[in-house]
């Protein structure tokens, strides 16, 4: 290779675009299935007993259903698909949908997928989640299912605007009957609220004109006991039954929501470091808006008295032990109103305390980014030798989601996690705790020759309950991401060799340029001029 070619190669490496990429795959772990209008699940199951719990203590709704199911197929065939209906407008707000065998909670959750009706009719339910049983349920056999999911963006402040020091009330609308595609012999719905101050709620009297065959054990529903309300038990509820009710309750806390979160994890074997950066695009408060202008004096007084408020004051982000070098930056620059409490003890958490430049009231937004470093040895382990390959295999365990932990909870519209492996590393596999869309691309930065492998994972409608605990436990596997990759010895030394080659090329180029005769006419002309003088 000529000196000029070496110089041009070095120049290309130095100015390589750090954002260049080429997608090579796009895989969805839970693909959607679309069917024609008028679709109705086969009536092969019957719910014998159903208990539904709706938790309204956080800024999002957590719902769990325990149901005993029996196979009543008239054809006496085994069945393995259980359908759960939802309203069409609920598809974009549902998250963390999971179905398990209640009698075997340690087993993996069932595979699920979303069935979408292409041409919805007047039927309220137009989307169905399908849970596939690991083993088909034989005729007349029974199984107890545990179904859980979250609903975000469904809590509506009422009134929509309040004073800066006024109390806040939220309204939640639901059905007194649990959503089900099958007839149910007995069911009840229990609401758990954050306070006993419930000024308004709808009542249900059965039997009614719409549900003449449905009976209730109470003269009037719901039955209120402190901060809990119970609709039912109801008897002989038909499939797809819907009885709209709503409840209005006090919730004098913020409703934090992150529309988009981007997490970047960069692995460096030479530096022995895992660099983490989180970019929060539009952290907002979905609480009631301010009726009047913001009063700073009244806010300072409320802060001094420690009064409860529906404004977001600060964010506490627990980090696992070993986190170091944190930073907190917004659109203006570095934010100095933050504290970091490190921890070297693996049984104790490090804490990053953030205080935005201003309190976040209803409909207010804040955009910022944070980052920190961790020792790579705490998250990466070398896999035991297997097939005798010359390449080394590594397994990395990192949290899929970290972020703030608040008493009222945080919901996320979308989360994008990017893992940047060292140059020359080959991605073998990954195991995500939640369904994701994945893509693999090539990323070039300074002194890269073949580029780095970047794995990008995307998920929607997440909540902070999915965040990995700051203290690693036996149960943290459900929130950790596992990545296996190959990193050979030759790839390990690729970057130093490229840098060394670049430096040597500069010296060779400088030496070659110094040997070039730049005088006009060359040496002979100069000698003749000297002789004439």
């Amino acid at each position: 290779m000529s000196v000029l070619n070496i110089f041009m190669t070095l120049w290309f490496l130095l100015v390589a675009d750090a954002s260049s990429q080429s997608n090579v795959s796009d895989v969805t772990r839970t693909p959607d299935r679309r069917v024609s209008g008028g679709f109705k699940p086969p009536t092969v199951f019957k719910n014998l007993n159903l208990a539904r719990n709706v938790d309204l203590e956080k800024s999002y709704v957590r719902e769990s259903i325990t149901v005993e199911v029996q196979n009543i197929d008239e054809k006496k065939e085994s069945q393995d698909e259980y359908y759960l209906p939802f309203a069409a407008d609920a598809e974009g707000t549902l998250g963390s949908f999971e179905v398990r065998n209640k009698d075997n909670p340690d087993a993996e959750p069932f595979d699920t997928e979303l069935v979408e009706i292409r041409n919805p009719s007047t039927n309220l339910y137009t989307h169905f989640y399908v849970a596939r049983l690991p083993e088909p349920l034989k005729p007349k056999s029974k199984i107890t299912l545990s179904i859980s999911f979250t609903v975000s963006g469904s809590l509506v402040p009422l009134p929509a605007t309040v004073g800066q020091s006024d109390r806040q009330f939220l309204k939640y609308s639901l059905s007194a009957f649990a959503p089900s595609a099958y007839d149910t012999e007995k069911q009840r719905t229990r609401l758990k609220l954050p306070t006993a101050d419930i000024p308004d709620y709808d009542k249900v009297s059965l039997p009614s004109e719409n549900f003449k065959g449905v009976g209730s054990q109470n003269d009037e529903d719901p039955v209120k006991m402190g901060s809990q309300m119970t609709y039912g038990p109801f008897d002989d509820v038909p499939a797809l039954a819907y009885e709209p009710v709503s409840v209005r309750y006090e919730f004098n806390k913020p409703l934090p929501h992150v529309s988009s979160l981007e997490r970047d994890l960069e692995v460096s074997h030479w530096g022995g470091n895992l660099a983490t950066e989180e970019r929060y695009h539009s952290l907002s408060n979905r609480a009631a808006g301010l009726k009047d202008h913001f009063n700073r004096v009244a806010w300072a007084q409320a802060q001094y008295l420690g009064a409860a408020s529906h404004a977001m004051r600060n964010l506490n982000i627990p980090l696992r032990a070993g986190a170091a070098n944190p930073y907190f930056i917004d659109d203006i620059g570095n934010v100095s109103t933050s504290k970091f409490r490190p921890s070297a003890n693996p049984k104790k958490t490090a804490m990053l305390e953030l205080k935005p430049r201003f309190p976040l009231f209803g409909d207010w937004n804040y955009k910022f980014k944070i980052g920190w470093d961790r020792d790579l040895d705490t998250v990466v382990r070398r896999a035991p030798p297997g097939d005798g390959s010359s390449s080394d295999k590594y397994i990395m365990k990192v949290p899929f989601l970290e972020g703030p932990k608040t008493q009222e909870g945080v919901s996320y519209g979308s989360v994008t996690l990017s893992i940047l492996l060292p140059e020359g590393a080959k991605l073998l596999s990954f195991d995500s705790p939640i369904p994701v869309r994945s893509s693999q691309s090539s990323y070039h930065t300074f002194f890269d020759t073949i580029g780095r492998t970047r794995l990008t994972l995307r998920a929607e409608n997440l909540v902070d309950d999915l965040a990995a605990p700051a203290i690693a436990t036996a149960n943290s596997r459900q929130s950790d991401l596992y990545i296996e990759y190959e990193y050979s010895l030759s790839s390990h030394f690729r970057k130093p060799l490229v840098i060394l080659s670049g430096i040597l090329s500069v010296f060779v180029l400088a030496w070659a340029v110094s040997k070039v005769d730049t005088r006009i006419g060359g040496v002979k002309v100069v000698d003749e001029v000297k002789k004439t003088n």
Side-chain angles (χ1 to χ4, degrees), residues 478-489:
Q478 297 180 0
S479 52
D480 282 331
L481 171 69
Y482 289 81
I483 300 174
E484 184 180 10
Y485 61 94
E486 213 171 40
Y487 192 39
S488 63
L489 184 64

Side-chain angles (χ1 to χ4, degrees), residues 19-322:
S19 63
S20 62
Q21 64 177 12
S22 58
N23 293 330
V24 297
S25 65
D26 191 358
V27 183
T28 303
R29 290 182 55 183
T30 53
D32 293 343
R33 175 156 52 100
R34 294 178 173 84
V35 296
S36 60
F39 170 78
K40 188 176 180 179
T43 56
V44 295
F45 289 116
K46 184 177 183 178
N47 301 327
L48 302 180
N49 194 0
L50 187 150
R52 177 193 187 193
N53 295 313
V54 181
D55 191 342
L56 301 176
E57 292 184 318
K58 288 185 175 289
S59 59
Y60 50 84
V61 181
R62 295 177 294 181
E63 191 162 330
S64 61
I65 299 175
T66 302
V67 54
E68 184 182 8
V69 180
Q70 183 180 27
N71 184 352
I72 59 169
D73 186 18
E74 295 179 354
K75 298 180 180 180
K76 307 297 182 180
E77 296 179 354
S78 299
Q79 303 293 331
D80 64 347
E81 287 190 349
Y82 184 85
Y83 287 79
L84 190 70
F86 288 98
D89 56 356
E91 178 191 356
T93 61
L94 288 175
S96 309
F97 186 84
E98 187 177 85
V99 181
R100 292 178 178 269
N101 186 349
K102 190 177 185 301
D103 297 330
N104 188 12
D106 296 332
E108 292 293 327
F110 300 165
D111 292 334
T112 60
E113 66 175 349
L114 177 65
V115 176
E116 183 183 44
I117 298 179
R118 188 179 299 275
N119 298 312
S121 62
T122 56
N123 192 346
L124 179 64
Y125 299 105
T126 56
H127 294 83
F128 295 88
Y129 269 96
V130 184
R132 300 188 182 278
L133 308 183
E135 297 180 1
L137 192 64
K138 297 180 180 179
K140 296 184 179 181
S141 298
K142 303 175 184 178
I143 185 174
T144 303
L145 303 179
S146 177
I147 305 170
S148 62
F149 54 90
T150 61
V151 184
S152 60
S154 57
L155 302 178
V156 181
L158 190 66
T161 58
V162 295
Q164 186 170 315
S165 303
D166 293 345
R167 296 188 301 169
Q168 176 183 246
F169 291 87
L170 301 180
K171 179 183 177 182
Y172 180 61
S173 300
L174 70 161
S175 172
F177 302 136
S180 177
Y182 311 100
D183 295 340
T184 305
E185 287 188 358
K186 192 175 190 178
Q187 70 162 266
R188 60 99 176 142
T189 296
R190 178 170 296 164
L191 278 64
K192 186 178 180 181
L193 298 108
T195 176
D197 189 357
I198 311 172
D200 301 306
Y201 55 89
D202 292 335
K203 299 179 180 180
V204 177
S205 297
L206 294 175
S208 63
E209 294 184 0
N210 296 332
F211 302 101
K212 295 182 180 180
V214 179
S216 175
Q217 298 182 8
N218 307 315
D219 295 334
E220 190 176 62
D221 289 292
V223 176
K224 184 175 179 294
M225 296 183 61
S227 61
Q228 292 188 357
M229 299 171 56
T230 303
Y231 287 91
F234 301 122
D235 299 326
D236 301 325
V237 180
L240 303 179
Y242 187 85
E243 180 66 23
V245 294
S246 63
V247 56
R248 179 172 171 265
Y249 59 97
E250 182 183 1
F251 192 86
N252 206 29
K253 299 175 184 178
L255 280 72
H257 176 73
V258 180
S259 60
S260 176
L261 170 63
E262 295 180 356
R263 277 172 48 85
D264 292 343
L265 306 179
E266 184 174 353
V267 180
S268 174
H269 278 255
W270 273 101
N273 182 62
L274 176 68
T276 302
E277 181 174 281
E278 295 186 343
R279 294 182 295 276
Y280 290 80
H281 298 282
S282 185
L283 168 66
S284 61
N285 186 0
R286 288 179 167 179
L290 286 180
K291 184 187 301 182
D292 303 315
H293 294 292
F294 172 64
N295 189 326
R296 187 170 293 276
V297 175
W299 172 253
Q301 292 176 346
Q303 288 283 93
Y304 178 77
L305 297 175
S309 174
H310 47 84
M312 199 183 312
R313 310 176 189 182
N314 48 40
L315 296 171
N316 293 331
I317 302 179
L319 304 175
R320 292 185 178 178

